[in-house]
Amino acid sequence: MTFHYRDPDGERLEIEADEFADGTPALYIDTTAPIRLHLDQVEDLVAGIRDTRRYAAAPHPQAATQATDTAKDRWAQQLVAVLADLDRCAHGRHEGDPCSGTECDGTSRGNPYIGPDRVIGYSRYGRPLFLPARPLKHEPAAWHTAPTTKDHT
């Protein structure tokens, strides 16, 4: 999982789940240069750091180890991060997270183009894809199961 921020000057900040050589969870923070942060985006940045921290601290049984880490594994992890970001609002917050955007009124409403029980695409074999409930979005099988409205409340 990677949190991305770009400031008004175009400078980039990325915070990625990582680990130390001994396997201890860590956060990797990368910037292109010093960044400027609008005051109304401080909470979004803090929430992004917290989300990434929670992801880094959670066990990931399929996560690659140093011995098996390949370009294909890294590509798959990046693709999972893209899919997991599909429910974010225009301010970068997941549905239900605190958000300072005026359209969200304090709590992110998520992606306005993706909602409960909406098909967002199709698999190679024509099977419909859905955005899964928040706790399941890192589970590949959940993308093939139609959510219920209850899952999104």
Side-chain angles (χ1 to χ4, degrees), residues 29-91:
I29 301 172
D30 185 30
T31 61
T32 53
I35 62 165
R36 295 185 199 289
L37 187 65
H38 285 286
L39 296 180
D40 64 347
Q41 293 177 320
V42 170
E43 290 302 318
D44 291 340
L45 178 63
V46 171
I49 293 170
R50 285 185 180 138
D51 284 350
T52 309
R53 180 220 169 267
R54 279 192 291 272
Y55 181 82
H60 300 285
Q62 296 179 3
T65 62
Q66 282 185 326
T68 63
D69 189 18
T70 65
K72 187 176 180 181
D73 293 331
R74 288 189 299 276
W75 177 84
Q77 290 171 352
Q78 291 169 348
L79 183 58
V80 166
V82 168
L83 290 173
D85 285 345
L86 285 176
D87 74 330
R88 290 183 185 272
C89 68
H91 315 105

